[in-house]
Amino acid sequence: MSSRDGTHRNRAPGWPGYRSGPSRADGPGRVFPAPVPAGLRALGAGVRAADWPVRLAFRGSRIALLDTLCRWQTLRALSYVHLLAARTSDGRLPDDLGVVPGPDTAGDPGLAELLARLERAAAGLPADLLDAVVRDSGGLLADNRFAASVLAAGLTADSRPRDPDEAVSRAVVLTSYWYEVPERRGALALTWSANLFVRSWLEWSVRFEYGDPAGGIGITSDPRPARPGAEALPDWAAPLLARVTRGEDPPVRP
């Protein structure tokens, strides 16, 4: 299939939910979602929401909680992308996606098993989709004086705050963590990027459901930001980076 600009676009084998095409800069990189079924789209209404802290604290336990929430929300968003791309999953994934990360749910004794299931789904994505998310996080981590504001605004809006006071509190806390705890910037950036990818996928699939009048722009940045090094990202991102590095498409398996 070709777009208006003549770019050849292929449907990834075994992944009926999207097509891919080459970036103008350096190889495969553009993603073109297929129309999303109504039931699958309904799951996306709350999948970007996380109950981010509303009170600032720099104790070790609170920083560890922030890292847990970032990991959980990143894997949750990417697992939903797996559903969007594969159109199939095991029976537990939709239920897992419905559990909202937050200080209360982070204490559930079953969290480790839930995160393991989400990680399998996330790390089983095609490499081009994971690479797009990782690269966008790298763009945020680059020298950008507006990064904290962009991240705080995006994650706060996605969290669906109950009122303006809660929205302001979350934005202030996220901004403060970005500046004051730089070792957690990679985790925050990955979470923001994964949420952005979900948002872009759903919006694009509605806007261009009956064709792509823009001539093949897709939902990924083009030219793409540089991929950040492993040292800039949290340790829990290692399976995602390994999947990007391998490059080949795995069987469709959540």
Side-chain angles (χ1 to χ4, degrees):
M1 182 175 183
S2 298
S3 65
R4 285 187 174 186
D5 63 359
T7 300
H8 187 67
R9 298 186 299 192
N10 297 313
R11 190 176 300 280
W15 298 88
Y18 82 104
R19 299 185 302 275
S20 61
S23 166
R24 294 181 177 88
D26 58 353
R30 291 190 289 171
V31 173
F32 305 88
V36 177
L40 188 54
R41 179 177 293 279
L43 285 176
V47 81
R48 302 193 314 270
D51 292 335
W52 300 106
V54 294
R55 295 186 184 279
L56 188 62
F58 295 111
R59 299 190 304 273
S61 61
R62 301 302 290 181
I63 302 304
L65 172 62
L66 176 69
D67 189 62
T68 296
L69 295 182
C70 286
R71 180 190 177 201
W72 187 353
Q73 182 54 32
T74 299
L75 296 178
R76 183 171 175 240
L78 291 176
S79 296
Y80 179 60
V81 174
H82 191 126
L83 267 180
L84 292 171
R87 301 294 175 84
T88 186
S89 74
D90 67 19
R92 301 190 70 171
L93 186 55
D95 290 336
D96 288 344
L97 294 176
V99 184
V100 178
D104 295 333
T105 50
D108 191 295
L111 179 60
E113 294 180 4
L114 185 151
L115 290 178
R117 292 193 297 270
L118 293 179
E119 185 173 276
R120 285 194 295 271
L125 276 169
D128 58 343
L129 299 184
L130 277 179
D131 190 36
V133 173
V134 171
R135 284 176 180 268
D136 276 347
S137 73
L140 196 71
L141 290 168
D143 186 14
N144 181 352
R145 61 176 175 164
F146 301 112
S149 299
V150 169
L151 178 136
L155 292 183
T156 297
D158 287 342
S159 74
R160 301 189 297 178
R162 291 169 296 183
D163 53 53
D165 288 340
E166 185 174 76
V168 170
S169 295
R170 284 182 175 167
V172 168
V173 169
L174 290 167
T175 301
S176 299
Y177 279 138
W178 179 271
Y179 284 121
E180 301 298 331
V181 193
E183 63 270 24
R184 291 293 176 262
R185 287 180 184 175
L188 286 164
L190 269 178
T191 308
W192 170 86
S193 183
N195 271 16
L196 175 65
F197 199 70
V198 168
R199 186 187 316 128
S200 299
W201 188 298
L202 295 176
E203 290 178 353
W204 198 99
S205 67
V206 169
R207 186 175 304 170
F208 299 132
E209 182 171 358
Y210 300 106
D212 180 4
I217 292 176
I219 67 172
T220 48
S221 303
D222 192 13
R224 298 180 295 170
R227 189 185 303 154
E231 69 282 355
L233 299 174
D235 292 342
W236 50 258
L240 309 180
L241 296 177
R243 174 72 193 96
V244 171
T245 301
R246 288 197 308 272
E248 76 279 2
D249 284 334
V252 177
R253 186 179 299 119

